[in-house]
Amino acid sequence: AQSVTQLDSQVPVFEEAPVELRCNYSSSVSVYLFWYVQYPNQGLQLLLKYLSGSTLVESINGFEAEFNKSQTSFHLRKPSVHISDTAEYFCAVTGAGGTSYGKLTFGQGTILTVHP
Amino acid sequence: SQTIHQWPATLVQPVGSPLSLECTVEGTSNPNLYWYRQAAGRGLQLLFYSVGIGQISSEVPQNLSASRPQDRQFILSSKKLLLSDSGFYLCAWRDSPSYNSPLHFGNGTRLTVT
């Protein structure tokens, strides 16, 4: 079984400042990791994913996340945030293969609020 | 391209009334389908998943049930709603059997039980 801990429930930042949203996971097997973003009253949208290969993955809107196996972390970063980045962000993990049927385990979410 | 439809968007129901939320997926076949519930500050809780027609797996015991009468249709139901059933319900699908493929979510149904 897997578990995910998002260390911050809320992160307020000013526009154009850098931000890091922290995510730690626990698993006894190899994992796939994901970050999802949710805007108010909407479903979740995939932001980026780590499956294998390079430990640094990037999204099309400037976010990046780095898979750190030794620290079991998958922190999300952006060097300069915009007002439009205000949303709730979820880290998720699934075991690689087996009989989990790809069930994702989500963290509790981090609300990112960008102030002007 | 694939799309997912979920309705209604919002619903207010009295305690003890029945519930039926519907989700359909277009543009794919034999998807894995999921129902999640989101409560404020508690992340997403997987309620049910289905890998095929008529195949339903329940993750947590509760007042809800799910059915998959057609390949791309997933229904969440209750015979008698409880106050604790209030929340934001999300349907999702993924390609089968790619365990590493991401979930694609609908826009959700906000259920308020009064």
Side-chain angles (χ1 to χ4, degrees), chain B residues 19-87:
Chain B
L19 173 73
S20 180
L21 303 181
E22 189 162 343
C23 171
T24 60
V25 181
E26 297 177 356
T28 187
S29 60
N30 196 31
N32 285 359
L33 296 171
Y34 303 81
W35 278 112
Y36 282 87
R37 177 168 59 199
Q38 184 179 15
R42 296 178 62 184
L44 280 77
Q45 180 186 34
L46 178 62
L47 303 176
F48 301 95
Y49 70 92
S50 172
V51 299
I53 296 174
Q55 300 178 60
I56 308 294
S57 295
S58 174
E59 287 295 292
V60 293
Q62 57 202 321
N63 186 42
L64 302 169
S65 62
S67 62
R68 184 170 177 175
Q70 300 180 42
D71 181 43
R72 290 169 290 174
Q73 184 184 30
F74 205 22
I75 298 172
L76 183 69
S77 304
S78 174
K79 292 182 179 179
K80 290 185 177 181
L81 284 169
L82 306 172
L83 285 174
S84 57
D85 292 324
S86 293

Side-chain angles (χ1 to χ4, degrees), chain A residues 32 34 36 38 41-44 46 49 51 88 90 94-95 97-104 106-109, chain B residues 32 34 36 38 41-44 46 49 51 59 88 90 94 98-108 110:
Chain A
Y32 301 129
F34 305 83
Y36 284 83
Q38 183 181 33
N41 295 311
Q42 293 186 25
L44 280 70
L46 179 67
K49 60 184 178 182
L51 304 179
E88 189 163 15
F90 291 92
T94 186
T99 58
S100 67
Y101 294 105
K103 292 181 292 181
L104 282 182
F106 286 86
Q108 298 89 337
Chain B
N32 285 359
Y34 303 81
Y36 282 87
Q38 184 179 15
R42 296 178 62 184
L44 280 77
L46 178 62
Y49 70 92
V51 299
E59 287 295 292
F88 193 47
L90 291 161
R94 69 190 301 163
S98 303
Y99 302 122
N100 60 358
S101 65
L103 284 174
H104 304 278
F105 285 86
N107 283 330
R110 186 162 302 282

Side-chain angles (χ1 to χ4, degrees), chain A residues 50-56 67:
Chain A
Y50 170 77
L51 304 179
S52 63
S54 173
T55 57
L56 185 66
F67 170 58

